[in-house]
Amino acid sequence: DGGITQSPKYLFRKEGQNVTLSCEQNLNHDAMYWYRQDPGQGLRLIYYSQIVNDFQKGDIAEGYSVSREKKESFPLTVTSAQKNPTAFYLCASSNPGQETQYFGPGTRLLVL
Amino acid sequence: LAKTTQPISMDSYEGQEVNITCSHNNIATNDYITWYQQFPSQGPRFIIQGYKTKVTNEVASLFIPADRKSSTLSLPRVSLSDTAVYYCLGRMDSSYKLIFGSGTRLLVRP
């Protein structure tokens, strides 16, 4: 089956800890995206990547980092600098220039 | 960067037609207008996309006037399972960033 997978489904972070959220796609899409969603709110763009080894900051990149070493993978690290990380994180992919994005099931991050 | 504007919430009853309108005054000339559906704790799901006039698929219709400053998603004969948040979005400039607003929370009652 083609699609986007995210893991884990739930993730717990301790104070001062960095955590990494996984996103993998087998749709052969060039572009990948990370969004953050807070309760009752829309999606906000954290980072996006249009091609391997290249990525751009979105609207709320502070406290986050990404890498794009492979076309199918776009992991997101939530660093200790992100003071309010509790949220639902969504990964998406598309072909550049297309508005249709395909989303993964999401990872819910909670702070202990 | 311009955003989309939608009603915060709408109520309906099973079997009714629901129309959700979105304004996007500054949408780029070449951009399509796309609508997504999201259930709680799930990723958004693509519903329909159009450029102008009317587009219809198996789940919805999309009406876009000639000036393209707004669009209307039409859901025929809604059921309880259509209760969700609906987002319209477009790319508001030449970047690859899509603009998600707060969406419209549709509640379908029995």
Side-chain angles (χ1 to χ4, degrees):
Chain A
D1 288 337
I4 301 178
T5 57
Q6 292 184 243
S7 62
K9 186 173 182 178
Y10 295 95
L11 185 58
F12 298 92
R13 194 191 90 164
K14 297 180 181 179
E15 293 289 338
Q17 185 181 42
N18 292 353
V19 292
T20 298
L21 285 61
S22 170
C23 177
E24 304 277 334
Q25 56 99 0
N26 61 5
L27 300 169
N28 201 33
H29 285 163
D30 288 316
M32 297 186 74
Y33 312 80
W34 274 106
Y35 293 91
R36 168 179 171 143
Q37 188 173 37
D38 292 288
Q41 304 297 313
L43 281 69
R44 292 186 291 168
L45 184 64
I46 304 173
Y47 269 98
Y48 64 102
S49 168
Q50 298 175 32
I51 198 167
V52 174
N53 292 323
D54 182 67
F55 49 83
Q56 306 294 328
K57 292 183 178 180
D59 299 318
I60 55 166
E62 185 175 352
Y64 300 97
S65 66
V66 294
S67 63
R68 187 82 188 279
E69 297 177 0
K70 298 185 297 182
K71 185 176 185 177
E72 58 271 21
S73 179
F74 190 40
L76 173 74
T77 296
V78 183
T79 74
S80 58
Q82 173 49 245
K83 299 305 180 186
N84 185 23
T86 297
F88 189 48
Y89 290 87
L90 287 158
C91 179
S93 72
S94 72
N95 280 323
Q98 295 185 355
E99 287 83 357
T100 305
Q101 292 186 352
Y102 297 86
F103 284 83
T107 292
R108 191 166 298 280
L109 177 60
L110 300 168
V111 177
L112 297 177
Chain B
L1 194 61
K3 295 182 179 179
T4 58
T5 303
Q6 305 174 231
I8 295 174
S9 64
M10 296 182 68
D11 280 15
S12 182
Y13 291 92
E14 281 191 292
Q16 289 187 334
E17 179 184 72
V18 172
N19 295 309
I20 306 174
T21 296
C22 174
S23 66
H24 28 75
N25 291 324
N26 294 330
I27 190 169
T29 302
N30 295 328
D31 284 346
Y32 283 73
I33 296 157
T34 311
W35 284 78
Y36 285 81
Q37 175 193 56
Q38 187 181 25
F39 297 111
S41 297
Q42 294 186 24
R45 182 175 72 103
F46 171 84
I47 300 176
I48 196 166
Q49 183 180 79
Y51 184 78
K52 61 180 178 181
T53 63
K54 177 183 176 182
V55 178
T56 298
N57 62 20
E58 63 275 10
V59 298
S61 294
L62 180 60
F63 300 91
I64 304 169
D67 65 8
R68 295 183 8 100
K69 293 184 182 299
S70 67
S71 61
T72 298
L73 174 71
S74 181
L75 303 173
R77 301 182 61 79
V78 294
S79 64
L80 298 178
S81 63
D82 292 318
T83 293
V85 179
Y86 293 83
Y87 296 96
C88 79
L89 65 155
R91 192 168 55 236
M92 294 301 173
D93 55 25
S94 60
S95 78
Y96 288 102
K97 296 192 299 183
L98 296 182
I99 307 298
F100 280 86
S102 297
T104 298
R105 296 183 177 277
L106 173 65
L107 174 61
V108 179
R109 303 177 186 274

